[in-house]
């Protein structure tokens, strides 16, 4: 295929003359990964004459993925990333690519209706869900809302730690009567992370039973506290879930 030919050329050293395309970081999902290279499907429009090549996908090499704590970051299909765009003779590629962390939250249906009013978009690579570009522009975090039939609304926040913390608290505080009101959060963790979640210091409570069982059993971590205390719990939940490859 054209995409396979392009990746082979890049691996062989072809298309080496890079030119940066702007300084705006784009967001996308890793649609294909072969261990050392793959393709990103952008979740935003890239205004460039070569943007339609390779089915609209952007090439990604392992060497262009930013390290985490001095170690190579490993991506997989379905990972949300942000990146800068370059062009070469084979089309568009991604550089300074950063893998995003993910925080899962439960919102009440009423809370979701009140807070998620901006026009959502859909992607075939984000199945059973919709995402909100306006939230990304405001908070620097991708908000993904699942359409699963649950007694609550499951959302994911994909971003970098401090932006995720701010965005999660902003979501929780929307509709609060006053800025001093307590922040009420329900975070979601898989059963594999329950014991570590129970060990998080503070007043958070982990549900005894899973709050849903498919595609994998998950529990909620609830806390009602001032924003700074909620931020500490979110930071610890991110540490617990992202330090484990099972996250």
């Amino acid at each position: 295929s054209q995409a396979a030919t392009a990746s082979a050329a890049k691996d062989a050293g072809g298309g080496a003359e890079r030119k940066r395309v702007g300084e705006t970081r784009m967001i996308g999902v890793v649609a294909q990964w072969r261990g050392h290279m793959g393709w990103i499907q952008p979740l935003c429009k890239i205004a460039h004459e070569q943007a339609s090549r390779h089915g609209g996908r952007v090439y990604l090499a392992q060497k262009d993925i930013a390290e985490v704590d001095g170690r190579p970051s490993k991506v997989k299909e379905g990972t949300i990333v942000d990146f800068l765009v370059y062009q070469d003779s084979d089309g568009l590629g991604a550089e300074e690519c950063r893998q995003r962390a993910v925080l899962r939250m439960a919102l009440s249906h009423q809370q979701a209706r009140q807070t998620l009013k901006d026009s959502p978009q859909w992607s075939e690579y984000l199945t059973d869900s919709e995402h909100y570009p306006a939230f990304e522009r405001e908070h620097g975090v991708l908000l993904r809302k699942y359409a699963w039939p649950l007694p609550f609304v499951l959302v994911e926040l994909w971003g970098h730690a401090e932006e995720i913390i701010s965005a999660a608290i902003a979501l929780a505080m929307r509709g609060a009567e006053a800025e001093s009101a307590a922040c009420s959060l329900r975070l979601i963790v898989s059963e594999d992370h329950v014991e570590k979640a129970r060990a998080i210091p503070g007043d958070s409570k982990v549900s005894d039973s899973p709050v849903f069982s498919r595609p994998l059993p998950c529990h909620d971590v609830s806390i009602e506290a001032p924003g700074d205390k909620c931020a500490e719990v979110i930071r610890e939940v991110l540490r617990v879930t992202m330090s484990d490859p099972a996250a």
Side-chain angles (χ1 to χ4, degrees):
S1 68
Q2 185 183 26
T5 302
S7 64
K10 288 177 184 287
D11 290 344
E17 294 297 324
R18 294 185 177 189
K19 181 180 179 182
R20 177 72 60 81
V21 179
E23 295 296 330
T24 300
R25 297 194 71 84
M26 300 296 175
I27 184 171
V29 56
V30 177
Q32 184 180 41
W33 186 249
R34 298 175 181 170
H36 65 286
M37 57 72 57
W39 296 89
I40 298 170
Q41 180 64 46
L43 295 175
C44 51
K45 184 176 181 180
I46 300 177
H48 192 275
E49 59 187 10
Q50 297 198 64
S52 61
R53 291 186 65 179
H54 309 303
R57 294 180 177 184
V58 175
Y59 178 82
L60 175 64
Q62 177 66 50
K63 65 184 178 68
D64 286 307
I65 302 173
E67 293 185 346
V68 177
D69 297 328
R71 300 191 305 271
S73 179
K74 295 182 180 180
V75 301
K76 58 185 178 181
E77 292 176 6
T79 298
I80 305 291
V81 295
D82 58 59
F83 55 94
L84 293 170
V85 181
Y86 69 85
Q87 70 175 97
D88 63 16
S89 59
D90 291 322
L92 299 184
E95 58 187 2
E96 296 184 27
C97 180
R98 302 184 302 180
Q99 181 175 351
R100 290 191 169 192
V102 60
L103 180 76
R104 297 176 177 92
M105 293 179 63
L107 303 177
S108 70
H109 287 280
Q110 180 180 1
Q111 188 179 13
R113 285 192 297 270
Q114 289 176 343
T115 58
L116 304 179
K117 296 179 179 179
D118 299 309
S119 299
Q121 292 187 7
W122 292 264
S123 169
E124 64 180 292
Y125 298 97
L126 299 177
T127 56
D128 299 329
S129 64
E130 57 194 26
H131 64 98
Y132 290 78
F135 194 87
E136 166 79 27
R137 290 192 294 272
E138 183 179 355
H139 297 283
V141 171
L142 176 83
L143 189 153
R144 180 182 183 183
K145 173 190 168 188
Y146 282 86
W148 296 343
L150 296 168
F152 53 83
V153 176
L154 177 65
V155 300
E156 289 179 344
L157 300 179
W158 289 83
H160 304 289
E162 294 309 312
E163 287 89 347
I164 288 176
I165 292 168
S166 297
I169 292 175
L171 264 183
M173 296 295 285
R174 282 185 184 180
E177 294 181 2
E179 290 186 10
S180 60
C183 171
S184 180
L185 280 174
R186 284 183 71 195
L187 309 179
I188 303 295
V189 298
S190 70
E191 201 158 67
D192 292 341
H193 297 128
V194 165
E195 290 309 311
K196 289 182 179 179
R198 291 192 198 282
I200 291 174
D203 297 325
S204 60
K205 296 179 177 62
V206 181
S207 61
D208 293 328
S209 303
V211 292
F212 61 88
S213 298
R214 299 179 67 181
L216 75 166
C218 289
H219 294 244
D220 71 12
V221 180
S222 59
I223 182 170
E224 187 165 345
D228 58 338
K229 298 296 183 183
C230 285
E232 292 173 11
V233 172
I234 296 169
R235 191 173 287 109
E236 286 301 306
V237 168
L238 285 171
R239 182 188 61 79
V240 165
T241 58
M242 299 307 293
S243 63
D244 190 329

